[in-house]
Amino acid sequence: MSSFAATASPVHETELHDRRRPPLTYWHRRGGPLPVAVDPLAGDAAADVAIIGGGFTGLSAALHLARDHGLSVRVLEAGVIGWGASGRNGGFCCMGGDGRGWRGVWRRFGEAEARAWFAAQKAAIGMVAELAGRHRLDLQRCGEGELIVAHRPRRREALEREAREVAELFGESWEVLEPGELREQGVHLEENHGALVIPHGFGLHPLRYLRGLARAAVEQGARVHERSPVVAWETDGRRHRLHTATGTVRAARVLVATNGYTPENLVPELAGRVLPVLSCILVTRPLTLSERTAQGWTVPALVSDTRRLLFYMRLLPDHRLLFGARGGISGAPEAFERRVARLRQSFAARFPAWRHVTVDHAWWGFACLSRDRLPHLAPVPERPGAWLALAYHGNGVAMGSWLGAAAAARLAGRGFEGPLPAFLSRPLPRFPLPFLRPLYLAAAYAWYGFRDRWP
Ligand SMILES: Cc1cc2nc3c(=O)[nH]c(=O)nc-3n(C[C@H](O)[C@H](O)[C@H](O)COP(=O)(O)OP(=O)(O)OC[C@H]3O[C@@H](n4cnc5c(N)ncnc54)[C@H](O)[C@@H]3O)c2cc1C
């Protein structure tokens, strides 16, 4: 099988899986030192654990396996480190990971599971900060906590309900700001009808964090191979052989950490189980102090709105605005141009004082949904000793890192010390008639777009 076919997904245009195309992101222009000792796999190798995918999940797993469990590890990443979503995201190291919300998780799985899930999300953020301190990761931390801004007056009621739920269910007091209070805090955009203040999370430079993770994993003894797409996976009993174009890794345990870039054609057990969704980001030129003052947005807050198809935004340390949204249903190059133009209009509508401001960077990439709208850390069906950790619903900076650490414990056959709800270990369900996923996505976007326009 060619490397291209093995790493592609039929859900979107295959060009989006072409590892020869470098991600042209703001982060890559300012990504700090490249990781060293991450050469492509050469020849035959053996390891206790082989990991497919070198994003937050795969590299966190590798670091924890080598450091805490004393196991030998080989990470195989198809592109360069940072080619996938972990090098392309908005840098919100915040709560999240599922597509159901607190109440949905509570109703479906009960109180203890909902509490464990809430605790896991907070612990995930704490772990990123702890890893940074311990391994000297250059996070470029900027902005504390998260703000969810009501885009319609009625959505403010939903935010107030959420604050009450969090108090009732988890004993935390989350404030809801009046529109004027939000402005006083230095955050002003059109469609401001108040905001929920989530007192957890922070902003970071995702690629520097990821490259730091790669360095730390290598320092702890893990072997990391970039430009090493796994093109075939043989399983014989409990023995696995992962083949790249230039070598083979033999291992008794495997972790699939491929999230929105999960290959459909590598093995039948992975086919049809995830729904990759595009998210698109613009980054403006640096805004001057007088421009920031004119708009009334002067602080590096991490902000998203109450839409199902949400907009997210933050001021970066060099005073550029990062502005992101869902990337639509087509991955064609002309669709990218259209998406960027639409995002530009949405940006101008929210920030009238910055209408004239040029955009220096625009890119997109895949986040990942699952059929049951939950993340999964579960065995791969029919592949004894193999696990998968994925489907963070657009919130994988902290949660991918956390499930990577939890996967390391599972692969080592040990208990995981942090909070981890049992529902995460449920099998990853396949989508019904998986070839219809583009249609499901189109229908969901049409419905959510309609709902988002409701008052
Ligand atoms: C534009 C955008 C903005 C986002 N913003 C945020 C945000 O602000 N905050 C947040 O928490 N989350 C955000 N996300 C989501 C977040 O980036 C992801 O959830 C997270 O990076 C997932 O990490 P991962 O390691 O699981 O997967 P990825 O980082 O996607 O890594 C998977 C890797 O697997 C590799 N791979 C696939 N097939 C093979 C193969 N056959 N052989 C070898 N390697 C293979 C891919 O090349 C890829 O690098 C955003 C996502 C996007 C696209």
Side-chain angles (χ1 to χ4, degrees):
M1 186 183 289
S2 77
S3 71
F4 204 61
T7 53
S9 154
V11 182
H12 286 282
E13 287 72 2
T14 48
E15 293 90 326
L16 298 183
H17 294 263
D18 185 351
R19 275 35 180 219
R20 291 165 307 189
R21 295 176 176 215
L24 301 172
T25 77
Y26 164 80
W27 309 118
H28 285 81
R29 295 292 290 271
R30 290 162 188 77
L34 289 169
V36 294
V38 292
D39 295 333
L41 179 68
D44 289 342
D48 295 317
V49 183
I51 297 176
I52 309 175
F56 298 134
T57 308
L59 290 175
S60 168
L63 169 60
H64 286 91
L65 280 162
R67 189 190 75 186
D68 300 345
H69 304 293
L71 294 179
S72 62
V73 190
R74 295 268 178 169
V75 178
L76 299 170
E77 164 53 48
V80 292
I81 295 299
W83 186 91
S86 298
R88 302 174 184 231
N89 60 75
F92 285 55
C93 181
C94 292
M95 297 185 83
D98 70 289
R100 290 175 180 248
W102 312 119
R103 184 62 76 185
V105 169
W106 182 286
R107 274 206 207 100
R108 177 73 183 77
F109 301 107
E111 179 178 333
E113 286 286 87
R115 285 189 203 283
W117 183 224
F118 189 82
Q121 292 178 43
K122 288 200 305 181
I125 295 165
M127 191 191 76
V128 174
E130 191 273 331
L131 284 175
R134 187 158 166 186
H135 295 284
R136 309 174 322 281
L137 311 182
D138 176 21
L139 298 188
Q140 299 198 345
R141 189 169 168 151
C142 176
E144 298 295 321
E146 197 183 0
L147 292 166
I148 314 293
V149 178
H151 77 286
R152 294 272 190 270
R154 295 268 297 277
R155 299 304 168 99
R156 187 195 148 93
E157 291 163 24
L159 293 180
E160 281 165 353
R161 199 165 50 245
E162 184 170 350
R164 281 196 301 277
E165 282 173 13
V166 166
E168 188 186 313
L169 305 180
F170 311 117
E172 286 204 1
S173 168
W174 289 5
E175 199 183 353
V176 178
L177 299 178
E178 297 291 337
E181 290 175 311
L182 188 61
R183 272 199 298 276
E184 277 163 26
Q185 295 204 0
V187 176
H188 179 54
L189 68 170
E190 301 299 303
E191 297 187 328
N192 164 13
H193 300 283
L196 178 68
V197 184
I198 302 179
H200 307 290
F202 56 86
L204 51 68
H205 186 309
L207 185 61
R208 284 182 181 245
Y209 167 44
L210 185 74
R211 286 178 172 169
L213 269 185
R215 174 186 46 74
V218 169
E219 281 170 5
Q220 296 298 319
R223 302 292 304 273
V224 177
H225 301 286
E226 57 179 22
R227 288 170 284 139
S228 301
V230 176
V231 294
W233 176 357
E234 293 175 280
T235 301
D236 176 10
R238 293 192 71 86
R239 284 193 304 245
H240 302 276
R241 291 170 79 90
L242 300 181
H243 300 275
T244 72
T246 53
T248 301
V249 176
R250 281 173 288 118
R253 284 156 278 183
V254 173
L255 176 65
V256 177
T258 46
N259 207 48
Y261 293 90
T262 297
E264 289 278 322
N265 304 324
L266 182 59
V267 289
E269 294 81 12
L270 291 177
R273 292 185 193 268
V274 298
L275 177 50
V277 290
L278 284 165
S279 192
C280 186
I281 288 180
L282 305 179
V283 172
T284 68
R285 66 155 167 79
L287 298 154
T288 63
L289 178 59
S290 64
E291 284 172 332
R292 281 176 271 142
T293 311
Q295 174 59 41
W297 190 305
T298 51
V299 295
L302 301 164
V303 177
S304 55
D305 69 15
T306 40
R307 287 177 168 79
R308 288 302 296 260
L309 303 178
L310 57 80
F311 291 99
Y312 51 95
M313 55 215 100
R314 55 180 286 219
L315 265 188
L316 300 173
D318 59 359
H319 308 306
R320 299 166 186 267
L321 189 86
L322 178 151
F323 185 72
R326 281 275 185 262
I329 50 175
S330 167
E334 57 282 9
F336 176 70
E337 300 306 325
R338 282 199 303 273
R339 180 58 43 183
V340 170
R342 273 182 69 174
L343 206 48
R344 187 88 184 70
Q345 282 172 4
S346 304
F347 162 78
R350 271 149 202 85
F351 301 101
W354 296 343
R355 247 169 219 289
H356 62 286
V357 168
T358 50
V359 166
D360 280 356
H361 306 272
W363 69 91
W364 63 7
F366 284 125
C368 180
L369 314 184
S370 63
R371 181 182 164 190
D372 58 11
R373 292 178 291 142
L374 297 168
H376 289 263
L377 167 54
V380 177
E382 315 296 329
R383 302 260 160 183
W387 287 71
L388 52 80
L390 43 72
Y392 309 117
H393 297 81
N395 281 288
V397 173
M399 193 45 64
S401 309
W402 185 248
L403 289 199
R410 290 276 186 277
L411 289 158
R414 296 201 178 147
F416 181 57
E417 284 180 2
L420 199 68
F423 69 72
L424 293 176
S425 307
R426 291 151 51 91
L428 177 64
R430 188 165 267 140
F431 281 83
L433 305 175
F435 63 94
L436 290 179
R437 279 172 291 170
L439 277 184
Y440 302 151
L441 193 61
Y445 279 3
W447 171 240
Y448 290 148
F450 174 69
R451 290 283 305 273
D452 286 342
R453 283 190 292 277
W454 269 359

